[in-house]
Amino acid sequence: MFNPAPTDLTGKTCLVTGASGGIGAAAIAHFSASGATVFATDLSPNFDGCADYRAFNLSETDDLEKACGWISEISPDILFNNAAVFDMGSILDANLDQYDHLFGVNVRAFYAIMQATAQSMVAMGKPGSIINMASQAGHRGEALVAHYCATKAAVISYTQSAALALAPYKIRVNGISPGVIDTPMWKHVDSLFAKFEHKEIGQKKREVGEEVPLGYMGAPDDVARVAIFLASEQSSYMTAQTIGVDGGNVLR
């Protein structure tokens, strides 16, 4: 007998990091619409749209420890591990300050949040879904994005290792690798490419959209819909996978 798996998340508690960005905000809207109680964090002191919002600077050890303590209080069933920062520089000019900043948020804080969530799930004895945000940049090197590519490759590797370690506890760990997604962050990204590649403002954004096999940049909702799939029973037999949401940019 056909038994369709639900995407309903009613009764589930979801934590979203990097909540105020385009993808984070879209994820909150989709998780809420699917019935989940949503908790969220970001740098911004003011944010609406979820059950409880806390401002933490995850690059600071004290705030990161407080965020991990908060996770043990809210005991999420779902983690959308989305907080990240971006910067550019080739091997010739990407210095160690940039390295420390990107790895401090994109790997160190990402790992601490994932670990705290997993520990909470195991302590509560309940299954869960951890969704880590990687990037198409994690699947390949890019001349001007050395440190960022490396951080997202680390996310993919940690996703696989965590999935294997947590499988006995019925905790699934998967990732999403967005391609070029039209978010507010692209204003910053575009300005950096304009600087490093001597382009007009807006030129790089237009070019990358045209270069996608589907012919356009993705939207935050495209990523959020995949997050709902990974959080729900629709993906109950999936773990250790990283799904590309990139319009065909990276062939896996």
Side-chain angles (χ1 to χ4, degrees):
M1 181 178 178
F2 177 60
N3 183 23
T7 55
D8 181 25
L9 300 176
T10 299
K12 302 294 186 181
T13 298
C14 175
L15 172 62
V16 176
T17 68
S20 64
I23 292 175
I28 288 171
H30 281 259
F31 280 120
S32 297
S34 298
T37 299
V38 181
F39 294 78
T41 181
D42 208 324
L43 285 170
S44 174
N46 299 307
F47 186 82
D48 295 320
C50 53
D52 190 1
Y53 174 84
R54 303 286 177 91
F56 295 114
N57 182 348
L58 299 181
S59 67
E60 299 290 339
T61 297
D62 287 348
D63 266 17
L64 182 56
E65 290 176 351
K66 290 176 183 176
C68 291
W70 181 52
I71 288 170
S72 67
E73 295 174 12
I74 64 177
S75 188
D77 304 281
I78 301 159
L79 169 63
F80 187 65
N81 204 1
N82 176 60
V85 292
F86 180 86
D87 206 344
M88 287 179 61
S90 74
I91 292 298
L92 295 175
D93 51 26
N95 60 33
L96 291 180
D97 287 341
Q98 186 186 105
Y99 174 97
D100 289 340
H101 182 51
L102 266 67
F103 271 82
V105 177
N106 298 3
V107 182
R108 183 174 185 266
F110 143 82
Y111 176 79
I113 295 295
M114 178 177 68
Q115 182 184 60
T117 302
Q119 289 172 340
S120 172
M121 289 174 175
V122 171
M124 294 296 292
K126 61 181 180 182
S129 175
I130 294 174
I131 304 160
N132 293 323
M133 288 299 293
S135 168
Q136 70 176 21
H139 296 270
R140 64 190 188 196
E142 296 186 22
L144 292 175
V145 198
H147 293 332
Y148 183 78
C149 287
T151 66
K152 291 304 183 177
V155 168
I156 294 168
S157 181
Y158 272 122
T159 295
Q160 294 171 352
S161 296
L164 297 176
L166 297 173
Y169 302 97
K170 308 304 180 188
I171 298 168
R172 298 183 298 111
V173 188
N174 291 291
I176 299 175
S177 283
V180 286
I181 306 297
D182 193 359
T183 69
M185 189 181 78
W186 249 98
K187 183 177 182 180
H188 172 57
V189 175
D190 184 78
S191 69
L192 287 172
F193 273 108
K195 171 186 173 183
F196 281 93
E197 294 187 343
H198 310 291
K199 295 180 181 290
E200 298 291 332
I201 294 295
Q203 181 181 349
K204 186 67 175 185
K205 181 178 178 181
R206 183 179 65 256
E207 289 174 350
V208 297
E210 292 171 351
E211 290 167 1
V212 173
L214 286 181
Y216 58 92
M217 295 182 78
D221 285 340
D222 294 321
V223 178
R225 284 191 287 267
V226 176
I228 295 299
F229 166 72
L230 290 175
S232 74
E233 289 300 309
Q234 290 279 346
S235 60
S236 61
Y237 198 55
M238 286 182 62
T239 196
Q241 306 305 307
T242 298
I243 299 176
V245 184
D246 59 15
N249 258 356
V250 179
L251 305 183
R252 296 168 178 82

